Amino acid sequence: MSSWRSRSRQSNSSRISEEQINDLVSKLQMILPETRIRNNDRVSSARVLQETCNYIKSLHREVDDLSERLAELLETTDMTSSQAAIIRSLLM
Amino acid sequence: MENPLSEARPHSQTIIEERGKRIKLAAEVGLARSSSGRLWSRALRRRLYRKPPQREYIVKNPTPPLKKEVPLVAEVVAGVAEEKEEIEDKVRALQRLVPGGEEMEVDRLFEETADYIEALREQVGVMRALACILDGMESRDGDKL
């Protein structure tokens, strides 16, 4: 196993070992919501990475959808200027 | 839930679309501001506050794509090269999704990813709460907040 150790030391800093990848991926798995991958299942690193990408994409989509929805709601809602100021401050 | 006005007057639909884009931009600014110490938030801020160039439109991320020949993960066992490549492909995909990810080393990338996901979740939570508030205001006439 010493061969990959020396290789990773002499290579540029972006190369890391399989062991490190697995370790990091298991940490990543912990932040995924349980509906994505059940935490007691042993899943491959590739699967965790895929689910992480999917999760980020779905969060981006949610922001898009909510932005649209908020725009529509603002169209139809009557509010005072103080209410608008509160909402603006919550967003920013 | 369709706005009946949008069918009668298409112009107001454009207004709503434009407003939606501004709201999304505000959400991204809020997101960038929520974590000041993080690489992803700095990269996001650079992207948001960057002045557009005079002549060209930036369509793609200007950083050059990573060369396929440089492996990100050192090979340990011969014969699992395909699996390694699959993981590398997915790490690259993740780098494209996290702001500034393409400039990060892999271990930093994963840390930043966790923080970025947390911040996105919070942002979504705030927007959902706002939508609930506005929904409530719509159905109750004249009630003060």
Side-chain angles (χ1 to χ4, degrees):
Chain A
M1 279 296 194
S2 61
S3 60
W4 58 256
R5 238 186 259 275
S6 56
R7 196 191 304 181
S8 60
R9 212 179 290 142
Q10 77 196 8
S11 65
N12 66 39
S13 53
S14 64
R15 289 174 75 148
I16 70 170
S17 68
E18 183 189 5
E19 201 181 294
Q20 282 177 291
I21 281 262
N22 289 334
D23 183 49
L24 291 168
V25 164
S26 68
K27 287 183 188 157
L28 207 52
Q29 189 178 345
M30 289 196 283
I31 59 146
L32 293 177
E34 278 186 20
T35 48
R36 300 237 158 208
I37 302 176
R38 258 174 297 196
N39 283 325
N40 47 13
D41 286 352
R42 297 185 121 230
V43 292
S44 66
S45 300
R47 171 88 196 277
V48 175
L49 286 167
Q50 184 63 57
E51 285 305 321
T52 306
C53 289
N54 292 346
Y55 188 41
I56 293 178
K57 281 188 230 171
S58 79
L59 286 169
H60 285 167
R61 270 197 306 271
E62 251 195 291
V63 171
D64 285 346
D65 292 346
L66 283 165
S67 298
E68 273 178 41
R69 188 164 158 221
L70 284 171
E72 282 167 15
L73 284 169
L74 285 166
E75 182 75 7
T76 55
T77 306
D78 281 330
M79 68 175 88
T80 66
S81 57
S82 56
Q83 287 168 325
I86 291 171
I87 285 170
R88 213 170 284 131
S89 69
L90 282 172
L91 259 178
M92 304 285 281
Chain B
M1 207 190 274
E2 269 178 308
N3 184 347
L5 288 173
S6 64
E7 283 156 338
R9 285 180 287 173
H11 178 63
S12 66
Q13 189 59 33
T14 315
I15 292 176
I16 292 174
E17 274 169 30
E18 287 301 311
R19 182 183 296 144
K21 285 179 195 164
R22 287 201 301 274
I23 289 174
K24 187 180 168 190
L25 196 61
E28 287 192 303
V29 170
L31 189 64
R33 286 186 190 173
S34 66
S35 297
S36 52
R38 286 288 176 179
L39 292 176
W40 68 258
S41 69
R42 281 184 235 159
L44 186 57
R45 248 177 278 160
R46 277 198 301 273
R47 201 215 302 162
L48 289 171
Y49 294 127
R50 178 172 59 200
K51 282 190 188 154
Q54 299 292 355
R55 289 167 209 173
E56 302 169 272
Y57 290 106
I58 293 176
V59 180
K60 285 186 176 165
N61 191 319
T63 55
L66 293 170
K67 295 184 210 125
K68 275 249 167 189
E69 310 94 68
V70 178
L72 293 167
V73 178
E75 275 189 42
V76 177
V77 180
V80 287
E82 272 180 25
E83 196 186 307
K84 289 287 162 291
E85 196 176 319
E86 196 195 351
I87 290 181
E88 286 175 26
D89 283 345
K90 296 198 189 295
V91 170
R92 269 181 258 266
L94 186 61
Q95 279 174 315
R96 285 192 290 270
L97 285 170
V98 176
E102 277 154 328
E103 277 84 42
M104 292 176 203
E105 295 161 23
V106 179
D107 54 346
R108 178 59 72 97
L109 172 69
F110 287 11
E111 208 183 294
E112 293 277 319
T113 300
D115 193 73
Y116 180 55
I117 286 178
E118 218 26 67
L120 275 174
R121 280 210 272 239
E122 282 174 26
Q123 191 67 29
V124 165
V126 167
M127 292 173 87
R128 277 196 199 143
L130 272 170
C132 281
I133 291 171
L134 288 174
D135 240 343
M137 285 170 66
E138 194 187 13
S139 53
R140 291 178 299 159
D141 295 314
D143 272 47
K144 294 225 160 49
L145 200 68

Short mmCIF file of all heavy atoms in Angstrom, two decimals, chain B residues 62-116:
data_model
loop_
_atom_site.label_atom_id
_atom_site.label_comp_id
_atom_site.label_asym_id
_atom_site.label_seq_id
_atom_site.Cartn_x
_atom_site.Cartn_y
_atom_site.Cartn_z
N PRO B 62 -16.24 30.57 -17.32
CA PRO B 62 -15.02 30.80 -18.09
C PRO B 62 -13.84 29.90 -17.72
O PRO B 62 -12.90 29.78 -18.48
CB PRO B 62 -14.67 32.26 -17.81
CG PRO B 62 -15.41 32.60 -16.58
CD PRO B 62 -16.61 31.74 -16.54
N THR B 63 -13.85 29.27 -16.53
CA THR B 63 -12.70 28.40 -16.20
C THR B 63 -12.69 27.20 -17.13
O THR B 63 -13.72 26.62 -17.41
CB THR B 63 -12.76 27.90 -14.75
OG1 THR B 63 -14.02 27.26 -14.53
CG2 THR B 63 -12.62 29.07 -13.78
N PRO B 64 -11.51 26.82 -17.59
CA PRO B 64 -11.44 25.71 -18.56
C PRO B 64 -11.84 24.40 -17.91
O PRO B 64 -11.61 24.22 -16.71
CB PRO B 64 -9.97 25.69 -18.98
CG PRO B 64 -9.25 26.39 -17.89
CD PRO B 64 -10.19 27.38 -17.30
N PRO B 65 -12.44 23.50 -18.64
CA PRO B 65 -12.84 22.22 -18.05
C PRO B 65 -11.62 21.40 -17.65
O PRO B 65 -10.57 21.52 -18.26
CB PRO B 65 -13.62 21.52 -19.18
CG PRO B 65 -13.16 22.18 -20.42
CD PRO B 65 -12.77 23.58 -20.06
N LEU B 66 -11.77 20.60 -16.62
CA LEU B 66 -10.65 19.77 -16.17
C LEU B 66 -10.29 18.76 -17.24
O LEU B 66 -11.15 18.20 -17.88
CB LEU B 66 -11.04 19.03 -14.89
CG LEU B 66 -11.24 19.91 -13.65
CD1 LEU B 66 -11.85 19.08 -12.54
CD2 LEU B 66 -9.93 20.49 -13.19
N LYS B 67 -9.00 18.54 -17.43
CA LYS B 67 -8.57 17.55 -18.41
C LYS B 67 -8.94 16.16 -17.91
O LYS B 67 -8.76 15.83 -16.76
CB LYS B 67 -7.06 17.62 -18.61
CG LYS B 67 -6.61 18.93 -19.22
CD LYS B 67 -5.12 18.93 -19.49
CE LYS B 67 -4.61 20.34 -19.38
NZ LYS B 67 -3.53 20.50 -18.45
N LYS B 68 -9.47 15.38 -18.80
CA LYS B 68 -9.88 14.03 -18.40
C LYS B 68 -8.69 13.18 -18.01
O LYS B 68 -8.81 12.24 -17.28
CB LYS B 68 -10.64 13.37 -19.56
CG LYS B 68 -12.10 13.71 -19.59
CD LYS B 68 -12.95 12.50 -19.25
CE LYS B 68 -14.38 12.91 -18.97
NZ LYS B 68 -15.18 11.84 -18.43
N GLU B 69 -7.50 13.51 -18.55
CA GLU B 69 -6.37 12.61 -18.32
C GLU B 69 -5.82 12.71 -16.91
O GLU B 69 -5.12 11.83 -16.46
CB GLU B 69 -5.22 12.90 -19.30
CG GLU B 69 -5.63 12.99 -20.77
CD GLU B 69 -5.90 14.42 -21.17
OE1 GLU B 69 -4.95 15.21 -21.22
OE2 GLU B 69 -7.06 14.73 -21.44
N VAL B 70 -6.11 13.79 -16.20
CA VAL B 70 -5.55 13.91 -14.85
C VAL B 70 -6.49 13.26 -13.86
O VAL B 70 -7.56 13.76 -13.61
CB VAL B 70 -5.35 15.39 -14.47
CG1 VAL B 70 -4.80 15.51 -13.07
CG2 VAL B 70 -4.39 16.06 -15.46
N PRO B 71 -6.11 12.13 -13.28
CA PRO B 71 -7.03 11.46 -12.37
C PRO B 71 -7.11 12.21 -11.03
O PRO B 71 -6.12 12.75 -10.55
CB PRO B 71 -6.41 10.07 -12.18
CG PRO B 71 -4.99 10.23 -12.52
CD PRO B 71 -4.86 11.39 -13.46
N LEU B 72 -8.28 12.24 -10.47
CA LEU B 72 -8.45 12.88 -9.18
C LEU B 72 -8.20 11.90 -8.04
O LEU B 72 -7.88 12.28 -6.94
CB LEU B 72 -9.87 13.44 -9.05
CG LEU B 72 -10.21 14.60 -9.98
CD1 LEU B 72 -11.71 14.85 -9.98
CD2 LEU B 72 -9.48 15.84 -9.55
N VAL B 73 -8.39 10.64 -8.34
CA VAL B 73 -8.25 9.62 -7.30
C VAL B 73 -7.14 8.67 -7.70
O VAL B 73 -7.14 8.14 -8.79
CB VAL B 73 -9.57 8.83 -7.15
CG1 VAL B 73 -9.43 7.73 -6.13
CG2 VAL B 73 -10.68 9.78 -6.77
N ALA B 74 -6.16 8.49 -6.82
CA ALA B 74 -5.05 7.61 -7.16
C ALA B 74 -5.52 6.17 -7.27
O ALA B 74 -6.34 5.71 -6.49
CB ALA B 74 -3.97 7.74 -6.09
N GLU B 75 -5.06 5.48 -8.25
CA GLU B 75 -5.47 4.08 -8.44
C GLU B 75 -4.80 3.20 -7.41
O GLU B 75 -3.60 3.31 -7.18
CB GLU B 75 -5.09 3.60 -9.83
CG GLU B 75 -6.12 3.94 -10.86
CD GLU B 75 -5.82 3.27 -12.17
OE1 GLU B 75 -5.44 2.09 -12.16
OE2 GLU B 75 -5.92 3.94 -13.19
N VAL B 76 -5.58 2.37 -6.79
CA VAL B 76 -5.02 1.47 -5.79
C VAL B 76 -4.91 0.07 -6.35
O VAL B 76 -3.88 -0.56 -6.28
CB VAL B 76 -5.89 1.46 -4.52
CG1 VAL B 76 -5.35 0.49 -3.51
CG2 VAL B 76 -5.94 2.85 -3.93
N VAL B 77 -5.99 -0.40 -6.94
CA VAL B 77 -6.01 -1.76 -7.46
C VAL B 77 -6.26 -1.70 -8.96
O VAL B 77 -7.18 -1.01 -9.40
CB VAL B 77 -7.11 -2.58 -6.78
CG1 VAL B 77 -7.13 -4.00 -7.31
CG2 VAL B 77 -6.92 -2.56 -5.27
N ALA B 78 -5.47 -2.42 -9.71
CA ALA B 78 -5.72 -2.48 -11.15
C ALA B 78 -7.05 -3.17 -11.40
O ALA B 78 -7.43 -4.08 -10.68
CB ALA B 78 -4.59 -3.25 -11.82
N GLY B 79 -7.78 -2.74 -12.43
CA GLY B 79 -9.04 -3.40 -12.75
C GLY B 79 -10.25 -2.70 -12.18
O GLY B 79 -11.36 -2.97 -12.59
N VAL B 80 -10.05 -1.79 -11.24
CA VAL B 80 -11.19 -1.00 -10.78
C VAL B 80 -11.12 0.40 -11.37
O VAL B 80 -11.67 1.34 -10.83
CB VAL B 80 -11.29 -0.94 -9.24
CG1 VAL B 80 -11.74 -2.25 -8.68
CG2 VAL B 80 -9.97 -0.53 -8.62
N ALA B 81 -10.42 0.50 -12.51
CA ALA B 81 -10.26 1.80 -13.14
C ALA B 81 -11.61 2.40 -13.53
O ALA B 81 -11.82 3.60 -13.44
CB ALA B 81 -9.35 1.68 -14.35
N GLU B 82 -12.52 1.54 -13.96
CA GLU B 82 -13.84 2.04 -14.37
C GLU B 82 -14.58 2.65 -13.22
O GLU B 82 -15.22 3.70 -13.35
CB GLU B 82 -14.66 0.89 -14.95
CG GLU B 82 -14.44 0.70 -16.44
CD GLU B 82 -15.27 -0.44 -16.98
OE1 GLU B 82 -16.31 -0.75 -16.37
OE2 GLU B 82 -14.85 -1.00 -18.00
N GLU B 83 -14.50 1.98 -12.07
CA GLU B 83 -15.18 2.51 -10.90
C GLU B 83 -14.59 3.84 -10.50
O GLU B 83 -15.30 4.77 -10.13
CB GLU B 83 -15.05 1.48 -9.77
CG GLU B 83 -16.02 1.71 -8.63
CD GLU B 83 -15.74 0.77 -7.47
OE1 GLU B 83 -15.68 -0.44 -7.73
OE2 GLU B 83 -15.56 1.27 -6.36
N LYS B 84 -13.24 3.92 -10.58
CA LYS B 84 -12.58 5.18 -10.24
C LYS B 84 -13.06 6.29 -11.17
O LYS B 84 -13.31 7.41 -10.75
CB LYS B 84 -11.05 5.03 -10.40
CG LYS B 84 -10.39 4.18 -9.35
CD LYS B 84 -10.33 4.87 -8.01
CE LYS B 84 -10.06 3.87 -6.90
NZ LYS B 84 -11.17 2.97 -6.65
N GLU B 85 -13.17 5.94 -12.45
CA GLU B 85 -13.56 6.97 -13.40
C GLU B 85 -14.99 7.44 -13.14
O GLU B 85 -15.30 8.63 -13.27
CB GLU B 85 -13.44 6.45 -14.84
CG GLU B 85 -13.46 7.60 -15.83
CD GLU B 85 -13.25 7.13 -17.26
OE1 GLU B 85 -12.39 6.26 -17.46
OE2 GLU B 85 -13.95 7.66 -18.14
N GLU B 86 -15.84 6.49 -12.74
CA GLU B 86 -17.22 6.86 -12.43
C GLU B 86 -17.24 7.85 -11.27
O GLU B 86 -17.96 8.85 -11.29
CB GLU B 86 -18.02 5.60 -12.09
CG GLU B 86 -19.52 5.83 -12.13
CD GLU B 86 -20.31 4.73 -11.45
OE1 GLU B 86 -19.70 3.71 -11.09
OE2 GLU B 86 -21.52 4.92 -11.27
N ILE B 87 -16.44 7.56 -10.24
CA ILE B 87 -16.40 8.46 -9.09
C ILE B 87 -15.85 9.81 -9.51
O ILE B 87 -16.36 10.86 -9.10
CB ILE B 87 -15.56 7.83 -7.96
CG1 ILE B 87 -16.32 6.65 -7.37
CG2 ILE B 87 -15.24 8.86 -6.88
CD1 ILE B 87 -15.61 5.97 -6.22
N GLU B 88 -14.79 9.80 -10.32
CA GLU B 88 -14.23 11.07 -10.77
C GLU B 88 -15.24 11.89 -11.55
O GLU B 88 -15.33 13.11 -11.37
CB GLU B 88 -12.99 10.81 -11.64
CG GLU B 88 -11.78 10.39 -10.84
CD GLU B 88 -10.62 10.02 -11.72
OE1 GLU B 88 -10.55 10.54 -12.85
OE2 GLU B 88 -9.78 9.24 -11.27
N ASP B 89 -16.00 11.23 -12.42
CA ASP B 89 -17.03 11.94 -13.19
C ASP B 89 -18.03 12.60 -12.25
O ASP B 89 -18.45 13.76 -12.48
CB ASP B 89 -17.79 10.96 -14.10
CG ASP B 89 -16.97 10.61 -15.33
OD1 ASP B 89 -15.98 11.33 -15.60
OD2 ASP B 89 -17.32 9.64 -16.02
N LYS B 90 -18.42 11.87 -11.21
CA LYS B 90 -19.41 12.43 -10.31
C LYS B 90 -18.84 13.55 -9.45
O LYS B 90 -19.52 14.51 -9.12
CB LYS B 90 -20.00 11.32 -9.44
CG LYS B 90 -20.74 10.31 -10.31
CD LYS B 90 -21.69 9.45 -9.56
CE LYS B 90 -22.21 8.34 -10.46
NZ LYS B 90 -23.02 8.81 -11.58
N VAL B 91 -17.56 13.42 -9.09
CA VAL B 91 -16.92 14.51 -8.36
C VAL B 91 -16.88 15.77 -9.23
O VAL B 91 -17.16 16.88 -8.76
CB VAL B 91 -15.50 14.12 -7.91
CG1 VAL B 91 -14.75 15.33 -7.36
CG2 VAL B 91 -15.55 13.04 -6.84
N ARG B 92 -16.60 15.58 -10.51
CA ARG B 92 -16.59 16.72 -11.42
C ARG B 92 -17.97 17.35 -11.54
O ARG B 92 -18.11 18.58 -11.58
CB ARG B 92 -16.09 16.29 -12.80
CG ARG B 92 -14.59 16.46 -12.96
CD ARG B 92 -14.16 16.04 -14.35
NE ARG B 92 -13.54 14.72 -14.33
CZ ARG B 92 -12.23 14.52 -14.21
NH1 ARG B 92 -11.40 15.53 -14.12
NH2 ARG B 92 -11.74 13.30 -14.20
N ALA B 93 -19.00 16.50 -11.59
CA ALA B 93 -20.37 17.01 -11.67
C ALA B 93 -20.68 17.84 -10.42
O ALA B 93 -21.30 18.90 -10.50
CB ALA B 93 -21.35 15.85 -11.80
N LEU B 94 -20.24 17.34 -9.27
CA LEU B 94 -20.46 18.06 -8.02
C LEU B 94 -19.72 19.40 -8.04
O LEU B 94 -20.25 20.42 -7.59
CB LEU B 94 -20.00 17.20 -6.84
CG LEU B 94 -20.30 17.74 -5.45
CD1 LEU B 94 -21.80 17.89 -5.23
CD2 LEU B 94 -19.73 16.81 -4.38
N GLN B 95 -18.53 19.39 -8.59
CA GLN B 95 -17.76 20.63 -8.67
C GLN B 95 -18.48 21.70 -9.47
O GLN B 95 -18.37 22.89 -9.20
CB GLN B 95 -16.39 20.36 -9.30
CG GLN B 95 -15.37 19.81 -8.33
CD GLN B 95 -14.08 19.42 -9.01
OE1 GLN B 95 -14.09 18.79 -10.06
NE2 GLN B 95 -12.97 19.80 -8.41
N ARG B 96 -19.22 21.24 -10.48
CA ARG B 96 -19.94 22.22 -11.30
C ARG B 96 -21.16 22.77 -10.57
O ARG B 96 -21.61 23.87 -10.85
CB ARG B 96 -20.35 21.59 -12.63
CG ARG B 96 -19.19 21.43 -13.61
CD ARG B 96 -19.70 21.09 -15.00
NE ARG B 96 -20.25 19.75 -15.06
CZ ARG B 96 -19.55 18.67 -15.37
NH1 ARG B 96 -18.26 18.77 -15.63
NH2 ARG B 96 -20.12 17.48 -15.41
N LEU B 97 -21.70 21.99 -9.65
CA LEU B 97 -22.92 22.42 -8.95
C LEU B 97 -22.64 23.36 -7.78
O LEU B 97 -23.45 24.24 -7.46
CB LEU B 97 -23.70 21.21 -8.44
CG LEU B 97 -24.45 20.41 -9.50
CD1 LEU B 97 -24.96 19.12 -8.91
CD2 LEU B 97 -25.61 21.23 -10.05
N VAL B 98 -21.50 23.17 -7.14
CA VAL B 98 -21.16 24.02 -6.00
C VAL B 98 -20.40 25.23 -6.51
O VAL B 98 -19.40 25.05 -7.23
CB VAL B 98 -20.31 23.24 -4.96
CG1 VAL B 98 -19.87 24.13 -3.83
CG2 VAL B 98 -21.08 22.05 -4.44
N PRO B 99 -20.81 26.46 -6.16
CA PRO B 99 -20.12 27.63 -6.67
C PRO B 99 -18.64 27.61 -6.30
O PRO B 99 -18.28 27.40 -5.13
CB PRO B 99 -20.83 28.80 -5.98
CG PRO B 99 -22.14 28.28 -5.56
CD PRO B 99 -21.96 26.82 -5.30
N GLY B 100 -17.77 27.83 -7.27
CA GLY B 100 -16.34 27.81 -7.01
C GLY B 100 -15.77 26.41 -6.88
O GLY B 100 -14.58 26.24 -6.63
N GLY B 101 -16.61 25.40 -7.07
CA GLY B 101 -16.17 24.02 -6.86
C GLY B 101 -15.03 23.60 -7.75
O GLY B 101 -14.18 22.79 -7.35
N GLU B 102 -15.02 24.14 -8.97
CA GLU B 102 -13.99 23.71 -9.91
C GLU B 102 -12.59 24.14 -9.50
O GLU B 102 -11.61 23.58 -9.98
CB GLU B 102 -14.33 24.21 -11.32
CG GLU B 102 -15.30 23.27 -12.00
CD GLU B 102 -16.14 23.92 -13.07
OE1 GLU B 102 -16.46 25.10 -12.93
OE2 GLU B 102 -16.48 23.24 -14.05
N GLU B 103 -12.51 25.12 -8.62
CA GLU B 103 -11.19 25.52 -8.14
C GLU B 103 -10.79 24.83 -6.84
O GLU B 103 -9.72 25.08 -6.30
CB GLU B 103 -11.14 27.05 -7.91
CG GLU B 103 -10.87 27.86 -9.16
CD GLU B 103 -12.13 28.12 -9.95
OE1 GLU B 103 -13.18 28.43 -9.34
OE2 GLU B 103 -12.09 27.99 -11.19
N MET B 104 -11.67 24.00 -6.31
CA MET B 104 -11.40 23.40 -5.00
C MET B 104 -10.77 22.02 -5.09
O MET B 104 -11.06 21.24 -5.99
CB MET B 104 -12.72 23.24 -4.22
CG MET B 104 -13.36 24.53 -3.80
SD MET B 104 -14.94 24.11 -3.01
CE MET B 104 -15.81 25.65 -3.23
N GLU B 105 -9.96 21.72 -4.10
CA GLU B 105 -9.48 20.35 -3.93
C GLU B 105 -10.62 19.50 -3.39
O GLU B 105 -11.55 20.01 -2.77
CB GLU B 105 -8.31 20.33 -2.95
CG GLU B 105 -7.11 21.09 -3.47
CD GLU B 105 -6.14 21.45 -2.34
OE1 GLU B 105 -6.17 20.77 -1.29
OE2 GLU B 105 -5.38 22.40 -2.53
N VAL B 106 -10.50 18.20 -3.61
CA VAL B 106 -11.63 17.32 -3.34
C VAL B 106 -12.07 17.31 -1.88
O VAL B 106 -13.26 17.33 -1.58
CB VAL B 106 -11.30 15.88 -3.80
CG1 VAL B 106 -12.47 14.96 -3.51
CG2 VAL B 106 -11.02 15.87 -5.28
N ASP B 107 -11.10 17.31 -0.98
CA ASP B 107 -11.52 17.26 0.43
C ASP B 107 -12.22 18.56 0.84
O ASP B 107 -13.22 18.55 1.57
CB ASP B 107 -10.35 16.94 1.36
CG ASP B 107 -9.17 17.87 1.17
OD1 ASP B 107 -9.15 18.59 0.15
OD2 ASP B 107 -8.29 17.88 2.04
N ARG B 108 -11.72 19.68 0.34
CA ARG B 108 -12.38 20.96 0.61
C ARG B 108 -13.75 21.00 -0.05
O ARG B 108 -14.72 21.51 0.52
CB ARG B 108 -11.50 22.11 0.08
CG ARG B 108 -12.13 23.47 0.26
CD ARG B 108 -12.44 23.78 1.70
NE ARG B 108 -11.27 24.05 2.46
CZ ARG B 108 -10.80 25.27 2.73
NH1 ARG B 108 -11.44 26.32 2.29
NH2 ARG B 108 -9.71 25.42 3.44
N LEU B 109 -13.84 20.42 -1.25
CA LEU B 109 -15.11 20.40 -1.99
C LEU B 109 -16.22 19.76 -1.17
O LEU B 109 -17.33 20.27 -1.09
CB LEU B 109 -14.94 19.65 -3.31
CG LEU B 109 -16.21 19.38 -4.11
CD1 LEU B 109 -16.78 20.67 -4.68
CD2 LEU B 109 -15.95 18.40 -5.24
N PHE B 110 -15.91 18.64 -0.54
CA PHE B 110 -16.95 17.93 0.21
C PHE B 110 -17.41 18.72 1.41
O PHE B 110 -18.60 18.76 1.73
CB PHE B 110 -16.43 16.56 0.65
CG PHE B 110 -16.33 15.57 -0.48
CD1 PHE B 110 -16.47 15.96 -1.79
CD2 PHE B 110 -16.09 14.24 -0.22
CE1 PHE B 110 -16.38 15.05 -2.83
CE2 PHE B 110 -15.99 13.32 -1.26
CZ PHE B 110 -16.13 13.73 -2.55
N GLU B 111 -16.46 19.38 2.06
CA GLU B 111 -16.80 20.23 3.20
C GLU B 111 -17.70 21.38 2.77
O GLU B 111 -18.71 21.70 3.39
CB GLU B 111 -15.49 20.78 3.74
CG GLU B 111 -15.45 21.11 5.19
CD GLU B 111 -14.09 21.73 5.52
OE1 GLU B 111 -13.09 21.00 5.41
OE2 GLU B 111 -14.06 22.92 5.84
N GLU B 112 -17.29 22.02 1.66
CA GLU B 112 -18.06 23.15 1.14
C GLU B 112 -19.45 22.69 0.70
O GLU B 112 -20.43 23.42 0.86
CB GLU B 112 -17.32 23.77 -0.06
CG GLU B 112 -16.02 24.46 0.31
CD GLU B 112 -16.23 25.87 0.83
OE1 GLU B 112 -17.07 26.59 0.26
OE2 GLU B 112 -15.56 26.24 1.81
N THR B 113 -19.52 21.50 0.13
CA THR B 113 -20.80 20.97 -0.32
C THR B 113 -21.77 20.85 0.84
O THR B 113 -22.93 21.25 0.72
CB THR B 113 -20.62 19.58 -0.96
OG1 THR B 113 -19.75 19.70 -2.09
CG2 THR B 113 -21.94 19.00 -1.40
N ALA B 114 -21.29 20.31 1.94
CA ALA B 114 -22.15 20.15 3.10
C ALA B 114 -22.68 21.50 3.56
O ALA B 114 -23.88 21.66 3.83
CB ALA B 114 -21.38 19.47 4.23
N ASP B 115 -21.80 22.50 3.63
CA ASP B 115 -22.22 23.82 4.07
C ASP B 115 -23.18 24.47 3.06
O ASP B 115 -24.16 25.12 3.44
CB ASP B 115 -20.98 24.70 4.27
CG ASP B 115 -21.31 25.97 5.03
OD1 ASP B 115 -21.53 25.88 6.25
OD2 ASP B 115 -21.40 27.04 4.39
N TYR B 116 -22.88 24.28 1.79
CA TYR B 116 -23.71 24.87 0.74
C TYR B 116 -25.12 24.28 0.78
O TYR B 116 -26.11 25.01 0.68
CB TYR B 116 -23.05 24.60 -0.62
CG TYR B 116 -23.79 25.15 -1.82
CD1 TYR B 116 -24.11 26.50 -1.89
CD2 TYR B 116 -24.14 24.33 -2.88
CE1 TYR B 116 -24.77 27.02 -3.00
CE2 TYR B 116 -24.80 24.84 -3.99
CZ TYR B 116 -25.11 26.18 -4.04
OH TYR B 116 -25.76 26.69 -5.13
#
